[in-house]
Amino acid sequence: MRLTEITLLQDLHRPEMAPVRKLFSSRKFARGALVFEPRAGDQIFIVTSGRARVYLAYRDKEFTMAMLDAGDVYATHTRAYVQALDDLEILIASVSEVRRYLGSMPSFNSAMIHVLGDLLSHAISVIDTLAFKDVRNRLIEFLVYEARRLPRCRECRHCGQCEDGGMVSLGLNTEQMATIIGSSRQTVSSLLNALAKDGVIQLKGRGVICIPDIAVLEACAALEN
């Protein structure tokens, strides 16, 4: 999920923020790499490109808590893991060093408040979803959320068939989607094919799904409740 629409990247490149910018160093991670393990020191990082997944793990189960996009900020002292969903680049600094400048960066404080609030909200949604909804509904809700969050591909905006939906490039394979919603790759693949057979989605390629009408797809989940 997108944690916040507030980005710190522009603020960090303002001339007066030069001392703060110097505190951050850039690091890159390949797609699929484990970026941080639980309680990996007292650091804070900002995503500059790519996406990362924040998740909890217990034995053989994983629970996705958040999806970080460019401009999102997160700290490493939690019990969560962080994994690169794409080729990922971040800016990272020590919390203790950044703390000295928080008074001069109101956007940073605002972003952190949004992150904490949205993360708590999503954590409750995860508990609700895993406890009370089946895999099919979890997949539909994920697709609906991403369809409304992500921009439509250019070719879909001009095809004349997706006025309310769109062709969404998730950038995720079936296994990654399965991990996010707490299921298996085989189950997600079967459900996607079934939704495609019902005509509510069209599978255009790896990670690319056309949703002619979001409301129709969403109604498929509502009918099950």
Side-chain angles (χ1 to χ4, degrees), residues 8 11-12 17 20 24 98 101-110:
L8 305 177
D11 273 1
L12 283 177
M17 290 293 104
V20 182
F24 288 85
V98 173
Y101 295 91
L102 291 181
S104 61
M105 292 186 68
S107 64
F108 195 99
N109 296 322
S110 297

Side-chain angles (χ1 to χ4, degrees), residues 35-102:
V35 180
F36 294 108
E37 294 186 350
R39 299 190 176 94
D42 195 16
Q43 298 173 301
I44 195 163
F45 70 89
I46 303 169
V47 177
T48 57
S49 65
R51 289 179 300 169
R53 179 173 73 102
V54 180
Y55 68 96
L56 299 176
Y58 180 73
R59 295 182 179 175
D60 61 339
K61 295 184 178 181
E62 295 180 0
F63 303 96
T64 298
M65 305 306 295
M67 305 273 281
L68 304 177
D69 294 304
D72 280 332
V73 57
Y74 198 73
T76 64
H77 65 277
T78 70
R79 294 176 53 195
Y81 293 83
V82 180
Q83 178 190 35
L85 283 176
D86 309 312
D87 290 338
L88 180 71
E89 184 172 2
I90 64 173
L91 294 174
I92 187 167
S94 166
V95 170
S96 60
E97 292 182 342
V98 173
R99 187 180 294 122
R100 293 180 295 160
Y101 295 91
L102 291 181

Side-chain angles (χ1 to χ4, degrees), residues 198-215:
D198 291 340
V200 293
I201 67 171
Q202 299 170 18
L203 303 178
K204 298 293 186 178
R206 184 174 179 178
V208 179
I209 298 173
C210 185
I211 303 171
D213 192 320
I214 294 177

Side-chain angles (χ1 to χ4, degrees), residues 53-204:
R53 179 173 73 102
V54 180
Y55 68 96
L56 299 176
Y58 180 73
R59 295 182 179 175
D60 61 339
K61 295 184 178 181
E62 295 180 0
F63 303 96
T64 298
M65 305 306 295
M67 305 273 281
L68 304 177
D69 294 304
D72 280 332
V73 57
Y74 198 73
T76 64
H77 65 277
T78 70
R79 294 176 53 195
Y81 293 83
V82 180
Q83 178 190 35
L85 283 176
D86 309 312
D87 290 338
L88 180 71
E89 184 172 2
I90 64 173
L91 294 174
I92 187 167
S94 166
V95 170
S96 60
E97 292 182 342
V98 173
R99 187 180 294 122
R100 293 180 295 160
Y101 295 91
L102 291 181
S104 61
M105 292 186 68
S107 64
F108 195 99
N109 296 322
S110 297
M112 285 300 297
I113 291 172
H114 277 278
V115 166
L116 293 174
D118 288 341
L119 189 60
L120 176 60
S121 175
H122 189 61
I124 294 173
S125 296
V126 168
I127 294 171
D128 174 68
T129 295
L130 292 176
F132 303 112
K133 297 178 182 177
D134 61 19
V135 178
R136 182 176 181 274
N137 280 353
R138 298 205 297 267
L139 176 61
I140 290 172
E141 288 191 0
F142 173 72
L143 294 176
V144 168
Y145 177 84
E146 292 294 285
R148 286 177 170 156
R149 182 182 73 90
L150 296 172
R152 290 183 294 170
C153 296
R154 181 176 301 174
E155 59 268 28
C156 190
R157 286 199 296 267
H158 299 290
C159 74
Q161 299 176 1
C162 305
E163 294 181 0
D164 297 320
M167 187 180 295
V168 183
S169 181
L170 300 177
L172 303 171
N173 58 35
T174 306
E175 185 173 358
Q176 289 172 320
M177 280 191 276
T179 299
I180 290 169
I181 68 170
S183 184
S184 67
R185 181 184 61 81
Q186 294 84 354
T187 298
V188 169
S189 179
S190 296
L191 288 171
L192 287 173
N193 289 327
L195 291 171
K197 185 177 180 180
D198 291 340
V200 293
I201 67 171
Q202 299 170 18
L203 303 178
K204 298 293 186 178

